[in-house]
Amino acid sequence: MDIHDLPELVLVEILCRVPCGKFIFQCKCVCKRWLTLISAPYFIDRFLRLQSHRKTPTVRTLISRNAEELFNRVSLSEVLTPMLKRLESFDHLETEPVVVGAYNDLILCCDRLFDQHNYYICNPYTMQWVALPPTPTQCYDIVRVGFICDSPYYEEDDPNGHVIQLNAKFRCKVVRILPPDRQFVFDHDEYCFNFNVEIFSFETGKWSELVVSSPRGISYDYLDAMAFSYNGVLYWSGHDYGYFLVLGLDPFNDNSSTSTSSVCSNGGDIIDHKCRFVVFAMPVADHFVVECLGVCGGLLRMCDFDTDTKTLFIWDLKRQDHDYMVKGAGELCLSKHNVYSFDQDMYPDDARVVERLSFDPNNEDIFYLYVDADVIMCNICTRKWSKIVEKRKLNNFYFFPFVLPWWPTPVPSLPQHAHQLAHGGETSS
């Protein structure tokens, strides 16, 4: 009997046992029948249940702005780089797009690092992308941009995996914090309490412009360009004199029943009070250069590495008040085990380049350093270290977390027509 003659239910049981979702999407190319079958909600639910029963691990990796995977765990660069080149050719871009954000297996990229104006959301494993409308404001600086979804595409409703809930209507937002108008500003350390923010919503297919207030004055130049999503909130880290700051924004806080607005003191801008920043502050010594390295172990984690003493300091974001998003302020607390000293022979004292890379997204006890083109793995529990990669040139030291789920997240569609490359026989939209 030919496989094409098998009953549909039998074929479902066979295809559901393909090892992972990225291979399943390749099976869509076989014929229209397989495409229709694999795209059906019943098939997705059955496939996810089997993965849950097998306790298939979710693979996490790290991706740089230049689409380089720190470790070749999921061969992400092999699919992402060609897709970005196709996007460059398809939209006639001047340069290859750069990665500026990620949420699970969806990646936010832009046509350039500076003067960001055109954004794309893509999934490298399904080879799909969607082009966002151009931003309302042309900005020649590196803007502070973040990308977040309100929920994953699917969730297990019970620990045994008997119920899989598909969130087909999950919402995505792209947030841009714009630099202050410096036409009449000569001091770049000027503190701002109100920021011009642009938020793109897939529900409307449009960018919205608003002024978001902060309970604390913040210097825009001291905010990191990278944002991390945690519990439905986007976070940027920054510095102040004697303080380390974390700036949070919930772009889904759209409860119109409690929404108010007011005119800014300049008489022109309207402040939207339903969407505002929350600021966490922590006093630090002058020699500390704390950076936010993303979500690790279910917490937003920051760290500093003292290159002289080879000591790692770790802070975790802990909410001290359940009403912190309402009050707009909170505290950064030291994690339970916060100081880790390593062997003085980890690297020579005359090392020219020592850069913090990231914590391992699959193991919260593993931290990576980049020392003179070598990657060093440090275990904060055992205090042991090892050189795992030698003589590798990294173009930048900022990495976004990338999650390869059991089933690929579909690229969200826009209400209006947008360019979207489809793979496996799916139509463009």
Side-chain angles (χ1 to χ4, degrees), residues 93-199:
L93 304 179
E94 296 179 1
T95 59
E96 185 177 312
V98 294
V99 177
V100 294
Y103 185 88
N104 283 348
D105 54 336
L106 294 181
I107 290 177
L108 175 69
C109 56
C110 189
D111 55 347
R112 64 194 72 185
L113 185 59
F114 293 91
D115 188 18
Q116 295 182 6
H117 193 51
N118 298 300
Y119 292 93
Y120 306 84
I121 292 177
C122 60
N123 189 315
Y125 282 103
T126 62
M127 291 298 288
Q128 292 179 321
W129 73 65
V130 60
L132 275 56
T135 59
T137 306
Q138 194 87 12
C139 180
Y140 298 98
D141 197 355
I142 297 182
V143 298
R144 281 53 178 162
V145 61
F147 172 49
I148 190 172
C149 300
D150 64 343
S151 62
Y153 180 53
Y154 65 86
E155 295 176 296
E156 294 184 68
D157 278 3
D158 68 78
N160 296 319
H162 295 310
V163 180
I164 300 292
Q165 180 66 43
L166 285 181
N167 302 316
K169 296 183 178 181
F170 68 95
R171 298 180 296 167
C172 295
K173 302 276 189 180
V174 177
V175 178
R176 288 172 23 114
I177 307 176
L178 303 181
D181 185 359
R182 289 181 174 146
Q183 183 178 359
F184 304 105
V185 176
F186 301 98
D187 183 6
H188 283 198
D189 291 345
E190 179 183 1
Y191 293 97
C192 296
F193 287 88
N194 300 307
F195 291 87
N196 293 314
V197 174
E198 296 173 347
I199 300 179

Side-chain angles (χ1 to χ4, degrees), residues 281-351:
M282 177 184 70
V284 293
D286 293 338
H287 66 278
F288 277 103
V289 183
V290 184
E291 289 186 351
C292 179
L293 294 179
V295 178
C296 186
L299 295 170
L300 193 68
R301 176 163 287 185
M302 288 69 62
C303 84
D304 179 50
F305 186 78
D306 190 315
T307 57
D308 294 331
T309 63
K310 300 178 177 63
T311 302
L312 180 67
F313 301 84
I314 299 176
W315 293 265
D316 289 331
L317 179 63
K318 296 182 180 179
R319 300 176 179 178
Q320 295 299 295
D321 194 316
H322 292 294
D323 297 328
Y324 84 105
M325 288 301 291
V326 176
K327 295 181 178 180
E331 297 180 7
L332 280 173
C333 296
L334 283 171
S335 57
K336 188 173 182 180
H337 305 290
N338 54 78
V339 181
Y340 305 91
S341 298
F342 290 93
D343 190 338
Q344 292 299 303
D345 295 329
M346 177 189 293
Y347 56 82
D349 293 334
D350 60 351

